[in-house]
Structure formats: structure tokens, C-alpha cells
């Protein structure tokens, strides 16, 4: 299968997500890394994003709450090259009514070769990587026309 290089700018577009009993963990991690996160464009699912905005004063673009479609919105952002990086503090020990959405999000991140940290240690290693402050080209499977071009064609009636 051929691959296409997708450029990532030095200012990464980072999605932040946390399940309910991991929100405090993510908040503590984000507080510790606030200076670094402030240099990037931040996106988050509803409750997590509101918490980051109110507690840390970070500018965060909000998606819906995860169970109400936010996880799917992040997945669409990945597929459309609008999200470069995901920090997802999820809880694999608790059942969630939207487990299928979580699995779909993890799958799409792997398919599109998007870095995804699912725990604090992974997030620490990735955020401290020199690649976080540099341009980078991630290789993705060549699946044909980029989704953004398909959307534009559909809007124009092509």
C-alpha cells in the first residue's frame, strides 16, 4: 500500500479527552504541562475542555461531550487532518456506554498514524519529544482523495 505524507506544523493541534474518573489525572498533567500546551492549538471533548478552560485558563476549542458524539468529532478531525495528536486518558477498567466510540477513535488514530497517548507516562514522553516543537510529516495510507477535497467537491456539486 502506498503512503502519503501529511505535514504537521510545529504548532500541533492537540485533542484532549478524559473519562470521568480520569479527568483529575488529565487536569493535573495539563497543569504541570500548561506552558508547553499553551504553544499548541487545543481541542477537547465537552466536560474535559470546560474543566481545562476554567481551571487553567487555556484556550480550548470544544467538541461535544464524548458519549454525545465528541469522540466521533475527534475521529473526524483525525481523518480530515484537523487533529495532529491525541491525549486520551481513558479508563479501560470501567464499562462505558460509548465503548464502541472509544474503540473507533483508537482505531482511526492508528489508521491515520496519529500519535495517541492513553496514559500519563505516554503523554509525558510524547509531549517532551523534540518533535513536538518541530515540523513533522506523518505517513498515512494513501486512501485516495483527501477527505477535505471530497467535502469541498460535494459542497460545489461535483
Amino acid at each position: 500500500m502506498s503512503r502519503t505524507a501529511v505535514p504537521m506544523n510545529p504548532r500541533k493541534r492537540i485533542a484532549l479527552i478524559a473519562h470521568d474518573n480520569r479527568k483529575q489525572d488529565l487536569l493535573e498533567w495539563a497543569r504541570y504541562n500548561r506552558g508547553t500546551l499553551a504553544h499548541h492549538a487545543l481541542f477537547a471533548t465537552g466536560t474535559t475542555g470546560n474543566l481545562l478552560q476554567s481551571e487553567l485558563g487555556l484556550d480550548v476549542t470544544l467538541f461535544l461531550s464524548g458519549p454525545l458524539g465528541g469522540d466521533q468529532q475527534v475521529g473526524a478531525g483525525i481523518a480530515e487532518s484537523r487533529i495532529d495528536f491525541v491525549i486520551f486518558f481513558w479508563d479501560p477498567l470501567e464499562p462505558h456506554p460509548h465503548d464502541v466510540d472509544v474503540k473507533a477513535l483508537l482505531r482511526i488514530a492508528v489508521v491515520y498514524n496519529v500519535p495517541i497517548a492513553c496514559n500519563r507516562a505516554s503523554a509525558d514522553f510524547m509531549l517532551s519529544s523534540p518533535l513536538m516543537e518541530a515540523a513533522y510529516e506523518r505517513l498515512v495510507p494513501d486512501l485516495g482523495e483527501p477527505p477535505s477535497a471530497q467535502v469541498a467537491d460535494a459542497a460545489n456539486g461535483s
Side-chain angles (χ1 to χ4, degrees):
M1 176 181 290
S2 64
R3 293 185 222 172
T4 301
V6 175
M8 294 167 61
N9 293 318
R11 184 171 191 257
K12 306 295 187 279
R13 296 165 297 182
I14 303 172
L16 300 155
I17 309 166
H19 282 153
D20 286 345
N21 60 345
R22 300 293 315 278
K23 288 191 191 315
Q24 280 308 115
D25 293 336
L26 180 66
L27 182 61
E28 289 171 15
W29 176 85
R31 184 175 286 118
Y32 181 80
N33 291 289
R34 188 188 184 290
T36 301
L37 291 171
H39 294 285
H40 300 283
L42 304 178
F43 300 80
T45 51
T47 309
T48 302
N50 283 321
L51 187 63
L52 292 167
Q53 285 177 328
S54 67
E55 295 286 325
L56 303 180
L58 291 169
D59 185 25
V60 180
T61 300
L62 299 178
F63 291 120
L64 297 171
S65 174
L68 300 177
D71 295 338
Q72 293 178 353
Q73 288 179 302
V74 173
I78 291 169
E80 296 170 352
S81 299
R82 293 182 287 113
I83 298 290
D84 299 317
F85 191 97
V86 179
I87 306 289
F88 186 5
F89 282 22
W90 65 292
D91 183 1
L93 300 178
E94 291 290 323
H96 300 279
H98 65 295
D99 273 341
V100 293
D101 297 335
V102 171
K103 184 176 179 181
L105 175 58
L106 296 172
R107 180 184 167 279
I108 208 77
V110 171
V111 167
Y112 284 92
N113 197 26
V114 167
I116 183 165
C118 295
N119 58 44
R120 187 172 185 145
S122 297
D124 285 341
F125 272 86
M126 287 189 214
L127 201 68
S128 64
S129 167
L131 296 174
M132 280 303 296
E133 303 296 329
Y136 180 80
E137 288 189 346
R138 60 186 170 85
L139 297 176
V140 299
D142 189 359
L143 303 172
E145 188 175 12
S148 56
Q150 294 170 2
V151 170
D153 287 347
N156 294 325
S158 302

